[in-house]
Amino acid sequence: MKSKVKQYALDALFAVTAGLIVSVAYYFFQNSNGFAPGGVGGLATITYYLLDYKVSWALLMLAFNIPIFLLVAIFVNRKLGFFLILYMCVQSFGTELFEYIGVKPYCQENNGEDFEIVFACIATGVISGLGFSLMLKRFGASGGTYAISALIKKWKPATNIAYVSFLMDSSVVAIAFFVYGMKITPVICTLLNLFIANVVVDYGLSGMRSGYKFEIITDTPEELSAELMRELGHGVTEIRVQGMYSHTDKYMLVCIIRKKMMGKMMKIIKKYPGTFADFSKVNEVFGRFKK
């Protein structure tokens, strides 16, 4: 029981933290600069603009997203639906809190620079991407688009979810062109925001624990592996192999390292004649791996 309560408390902490991070991106950089994010949140932001900012953005976000999250709770996963609702409430009312406190957003009106919108869309992508990655890593969903994808996957498992997400985000970009006075700048900012947010999400999901796997064919496995373990501090796995050209027995050493160790690894390998190596990127490293 204690373990379950601790798990739910940690889930709630992730949802609240992610919601606050995204609310910072939306309040300070997006809502006051005339461009929209992708997905369901983008539709809410466009509606907010069409209503001339007279209706609360927070209420519009809830109105667009909560029904979808309720469907997720009913048809997909109750726990997921609950924490998505918590995340959206924190995200939406976080912007209301910043406005109530009286903190000024980052926009041309407050700063007087024409290029503020470019910096604003970059900041929105980076900060919101961080919040999205927290939700995706913990729950596998971060908003209305992902929730709709989960519902579609539930009812039609064969559907290409990536294609569905792309269509939803693309539709928001197309609508933004007509809503924001047929100007190209809001469209470019929306695209840039989407791109940066996706890059940050990808890095947040895989880049934090990424590494490089080296496969080294050598005639001197003992000496080479000893130096690798001594200099790099990582374990080495030895596999017996046979060269099909010469039909001679050789050894393959497998070693996973961090990016910062690449130069040192290369120098060590070059010291051993008759050694051949290749490497590939590893997105996730589990188990007893020294950081």
Side-chain angles (χ1 to χ4, degrees):
M1 186 65 183
K2 278 186 178 180
S3 176
K4 201 170 185 179
V5 171
K6 185 178 179 181
Q7 185 74 22
Y8 271 85
L10 195 58
D11 287 339
L13 179 62
F14 265 83
V16 170
T17 303
L20 284 173
I21 290 172
V22 177
S23 70
V24 167
Y26 286 171
Y27 176 78
F28 286 97
F29 301 106
Q30 178 201 278
N31 291 350
S32 57
N33 281 289
F35 66 92
V40 178
L43 295 176
T45 302
I46 287 172
T47 304
Y48 177 60
Y49 176 82
L50 288 173
L51 295 174
D52 199 24
Y53 308 113
K54 292 178 181 178
V55 177
S56 168
W57 178 84
L59 293 178
L60 288 172
M61 285 291 286
L62 293 174
F64 274 80
N65 285 281
I66 296 299
I68 301 170
F69 295 157
L70 286 173
L71 289 175
V72 170
I74 295 169
F75 295 106
V76 180
N77 185 294
R78 186 179 300 175
K79 178 183 173 182
L80 173 62
F82 170 77
F83 283 112
L84 281 173
I85 291 172
L86 174 62
Y87 158 75
M88 186 53 60
C89 288
V90 173
Q91 179 190 134
S92 301
F93 289 114
T95 59
E96 295 288 308
L97 176 63
F98 294 134
E99 187 174 359
Y100 177 77
I101 294 172
V103 185
K104 290 184 178 180
Y106 179 89
C107 61
Q108 183 180 351
E109 183 180 341
N110 293 330
N111 296 282
E113 299 288 348
D114 293 334
F115 48 78
E116 299 293 346
I117 189 172
V118 178
F119 293 140
C121 70
I122 294 172
T124 302
V126 172
I127 299 171
S128 64
L130 177 60
F132 297 156
S133 64
L134 284 177
M135 286 297 291
L136 284 167
K137 203 168 186 70
R138 189 72 183 181
F139 304 106
S142 67
T145 300
Y146 292 95
I148 291 171
S149 298
L151 288 168
I152 293 172
K153 193 72 176 176
K154 175 74 175 178
W155 291 321
K156 292 187 177 182
T159 305
N160 187 332
I161 297 303
Y163 182 67
V164 173
S165 299
F166 172 76
L167 282 179
M168 285 189 282
D169 287 335
S170 299
S171 65
V172 172
V173 173
I175 294 170
F177 174 73
F178 296 100
V179 169
Y180 292 108
M182 294 189 181
K183 297 177 182 178
I184 197 66
T185 300
V187 176
I188 293 174
C189 287
T190 300
L191 286 170
L192 184 59
N193 169 40
L194 279 170
F195 175 77
I196 294 173
N198 284 326
V199 169
V200 174
V201 166
D202 287 341
Y203 184 79
L205 292 177
S206 61
M208 302 297 285
R209 293 169 57 90
S210 65
Y212 287 87
K213 181 177 76 172
F214 274 78
E215 295 178 336
I216 309 163
I217 307 297
T218 181
D219 297 323
T220 55
E222 294 297 331
E223 297 89 338
L224 179 53
S225 60
E227 184 168 358
L228 290 174
M229 288 187 285
R230 184 178 66 252
E231 296 296 328
L232 303 180
H234 288 289
V236 179
T237 300
E238 179 185 286
I239 304 171
R240 287 197 174 191
V241 294
Q242 186 181 71
M244 294 306 294
Y245 181 77
S246 61
H247 292 284
T248 56
D249 290 335
K250 290 183 178 291
Y251 296 87
M252 181 169 72
L253 304 180
V254 179
C255 183
I256 298 177
I257 63 170
R258 293 294 184 201
K259 185 178 181 179
K260 62 183 180 182
M261 298 177 178
M262 289 282 286
K264 190 178 287 188
M265 170 66 92
M266 295 294 190
K267 288 180 182 178
I268 294 172
I269 292 173
K270 287 178 181 178
K271 290 165 60 177
Y272 293 85
T275 297
F276 168 81
D278 70 89
F279 67 91
S280 57
K281 188 173 182 180
V282 178
N283 288 329
E284 285 285 348
V285 182
F286 297 97
R288 299 177 63 186
F289 180 74
K290 181 180 176 183
K291 294 184 179 181

